[in-house]
Structures are given as C-alpha cells and as structure tokens.
Amino acid sequence: MAWSDATDSELVRQFQRGDALAFDALVRRYQDRIFRLASLWLYDASRADDAAQEVFLRAYQSLPRFRFRAQPFTWLYRTARLVCFEMNRQRKHDPLPAEGLETSVPGNAGEHEIALAEVRTLIAELPERQREVIVLRLFEDCSVKETAAAMGCREGTVKALLYKARAALQGKWDA
Amino acid sequence: MTNTPTTATADPLIRRYREVQAPASVLAGIQQRAQASERRKTWPRLGSAVALGTLVVAGLVATELYRARMAAPTLPTLAQIARQLPTDPDVAMPALGSLRLPERPTLPTKPIQNPSPVTEPGDDAPKTEGADGITAVPSANSQEKKV
C-alpha cells in the first residue's frame, strides 16, 4: 500500500489492524509539524524532540482504541498541547506565558533555530488563543475548518481571532 | 493533510519556519520507546498470572481445611437424639422413678406468731382490744389456721 496516498484515517485503521508500518508512515507525516509546534509552545525549546517523542508514544498506545470521532491530526495536536502543558508545568511556569519565552538564540544555532526563535519573538506578546490561530493558519497552513477542529471552537471564532492577531502584529510583521 | 504545508508563501519567515524538520533522533526515539512499552506490557501479564495462581492455591487450601473441619465429630443435635430413641411400643421406656431428678430446695417456713385459738360460736370469745380501746369480738367463722 502506498502510504503517501493514504489518508490519516486509513493509516490509523491499518495500524489498528496490526500494521506497524502504517504507524511509521503517520509519524513521518507529522513529526516535523509536531516538532515545530512543540518548539513554539515549550518554555524550553531544546526539549521539543522529547515532547514530540512523547506525543507519538501516546499515539502508539492510544490509537488502537481510536474511535474516529475527530481527525487523527486533531488528536495529535491536542495531545501535543497537553504534553507541552505538562512539561512546562514541571518547570512551574504558565503553559504559554505572555512574557518570558526564551527567545535568545545560542551562538552556534542553525538557521532552523533562528527561524523558530524569530517566530517565538513575534508571537510572544499575543494572547494564547491568537497565538494558536496565527501558528496554525499562517505558519502551518491549516484550513479554517482544521484550525477550528484543533482548537475546539467554531470557524467564525477562528476568523475573528485571526483578524485580531493580524491587527496586533501590524507593524511588526506584514504577512 | 501532509506534513509540510502546501500553500506557497512569499513571506520569508513563514518559509523558513516551514523548512524546520524534526531531528532524526525523534523517529528513532519513538521506535525505542514503543518497543520498551511493549516489553513493559508482558510483565503485568506475568504478575497477573502469578496472582491468579496464588488465589487458586489459597482457594484449594481453604477448601481442604473446611472439609477437615466438617469431618470432625460434633455433638448431636436434639433432633438427632430424638430420632435415635426407640419408637417400638414393646420396648420399655425408662421408668420415671428411675430418673433422678434434682432435689428441689425447700423453702424456709415463716414461724406464725401469736396464733389465734379455734373457738366455738357462743363461747366467750377472747377479747382482743383494738387500738382504740374498744373490745373487738372475733367473728364466729374465725378459725385457727393450721400450719
């Protein structure tokens, strides 16, 4: 089976039938996205790979009982949010603090680390919900419907939050 | 939905952000932790088997102890005794006189003080003085109580 052509639901159903390769395909499909999101949400961005591993480990344990009430990516996204929340709480900080995000970049950082740090700096002053919308809609290129499902809100709310976020970032970033 | 956003963008920041990829250690770490999770699942199964076996053995021991206790001789009940009594009328029942009954304690008798004598009607009745000095004549029906 060509995993690249299969939908997320088909991959999960194959995994539920015992096909471990389907799970590998699912991981390869979303590992970059989950890693990037974790890099933005975690107070300590260096732990983003740990967070991504934890997200997919929970998927490995829970997807056999997945009932398809939501899309698999919605489940992965919310699990990533929960994992980052738990990891941030271990450091006794707010999940997405408006201030205090580590935006400084180490001297030997690569281009990817610099890009992530710039995005973190850009969204650091936004409220939590507006940050989510900006990241999902603009940076991750999710549709309005996908963003609403991931955030657990209506599509109108997504549009309103995006409008407010763009207004807040006006002057700092014109996208 | 694919891993990398498909919409092209002119914004350099968004383009650079989308180029960020997870390090190779993420997939390798996931595979290792998934295998470790599978290994951990076998240990609870063994523990459950040991616990179940212990319960079975304990149940067998308790059953044997109960049976041994039930087999031990116990005092017969009244119903069992009654069933053992002879029902044949020709069989002589034990005489009641042969039964030894416990002695009944005798109650102490109270001595009668100043017993009144028995008198015939018309005789000079003994005069008894009442508390007010008036002589009271006993009635003709009064008799001495026999002890």
Side-chain angles (χ1 to χ4, degrees):
Chain A
M1 182 176 184
W3 301 123
S4 59
D5 298 331
T7 63
D8 297 343
S9 298
E10 289 172 353
L11 289 178
V12 172
R13 286 197 172 89
Q14 278 297 114
F15 175 57
Q16 289 178 342
R17 294 190 192 107
D19 192 345
L21 295 178
F23 181 76
D24 287 349
L26 192 67
V27 171
R28 288 189 176 88
R29 181 173 291 186
Y30 286 115
Q31 62 175 348
D32 295 342
R33 180 168 293 195
I34 297 298
F35 175 78
R36 289 194 295 262
L37 291 172
S39 300
L40 296 180
W41 290 331
L42 284 173
Y43 190 85
D44 184 3
S46 63
R47 299 188 62 191
D49 54 347
D50 291 339
Q53 290 181 25
E54 181 64 25
V55 169
F56 288 106
L57 179 63
R58 294 188 186 189
Y60 182 82
Q61 295 169 344
S62 300
L63 284 181
R65 299 185 299 273
F66 192 68
R67 297 184 181 180
F68 299 95
R69 293 177 182 172
Q71 292 296 319
F73 172 70
T74 302
W75 188 92
L76 287 172
Y77 176 84
R78 292 185 181 178
T79 302
R81 290 276 297 168
L82 179 62
V83 168
C84 292
F85 175 82
E86 292 171 354
M87 293 176 73
N88 284 334
R89 192 169 61 178
Q90 290 175 0
R91 293 185 49 141
K92 297 182 181 180
H93 286 280
D94 293 333
L96 289 175
E99 300 174 355
L101 274 176
E102 292 183 359
T103 56
S104 60
V105 181
N108 57 349
E111 293 183 2
H112 293 171
E113 285 82 5
I114 295 173
L116 289 173
E118 290 182 10
V119 175
R120 285 163 66 92
T121 304
L122 183 69
I123 64 175
E125 298 180 2
L126 291 176
E128 180 181 342
R129 299 280 278 177
Q130 292 180 18
R131 273 187 237 171
E132 282 191 76
V133 168
I134 283 287
V135 170
L136 288 172
R137 279 288 293 137
L138 298 184
F139 286 91
E140 293 293 344
D141 195 29
C142 294
S143 66
V144 175
K145 184 178 180 180
E146 291 165 348
T147 304
M151 293 178 62
C153 63
R154 288 183 283 187
E155 296 182 14
T157 305
V158 171
K159 295 176 182 176
L161 289 171
L162 184 61
Y163 177 81
K164 291 179 182 178
R166 283 180 181 272
L169 293 176
Q170 192 174 12
K172 298 179 184 179
W173 182 55
D174 297 322
Chain B
M1 179 180 299
T2 58
N3 196 13
T4 305
T6 56
T7 304
T9 177
D11 189 89
L13 180 58
I14 295 178
R15 194 168 60 247
R16 287 161 52 207
Y17 170 84
R18 292 178 183 176
E19 291 173 357
V20 173
Q21 293 181 345
S25 60
V26 171
L27 183 57
I30 293 168
Q31 291 171 345
Q32 290 178 0
R33 294 174 71 174
Q35 289 172 3
S37 174
E38 285 295 324
R39 283 196 297 271
R40 277 196 296 270
K41 284 182 183 177
T42 60
W43 286 109
R45 293 196 191 109
L46 288 176
S48 299
V50 171
L52 184 62
T54 304
L55 284 175
V56 170
V57 170
L60 290 174
V61 171
T63 303
E64 289 302 320
L65 287 175
Y66 177 77
R67 287 178 181 173
R69 186 175 180 182
M70 288 298 105
T74 57
L75 293 175
T77 62
L78 290 177
Q80 291 172 341
I81 293 174
R83 283 196 291 271
Q84 292 175 5
L85 289 176
T87 58
D88 190 348
D90 294 335
V91 176
M93 293 294 290
L96 291 177
S98 63
L99 296 177
R100 300 186 63 180
L101 299 175
E103 293 181 0
R104 286 190 175 183
T106 57
L107 297 175
T109 57
K110 187 176 181 181
I112 300 176
Q113 297 177 355
N114 301 325
S116 59
V118 178
T119 58
E120 293 292 332
D123 294 344
D124 290 337
K127 299 181 177 67
T128 60
E129 291 185 359
D132 54 356
I134 299 174
T135 302
V137 178
S139 62
N141 292 332
S142 63
Q143 292 182 355
E144 180 185 12
K145 289 185 178 179
K146 293 183 180 178
V147 176

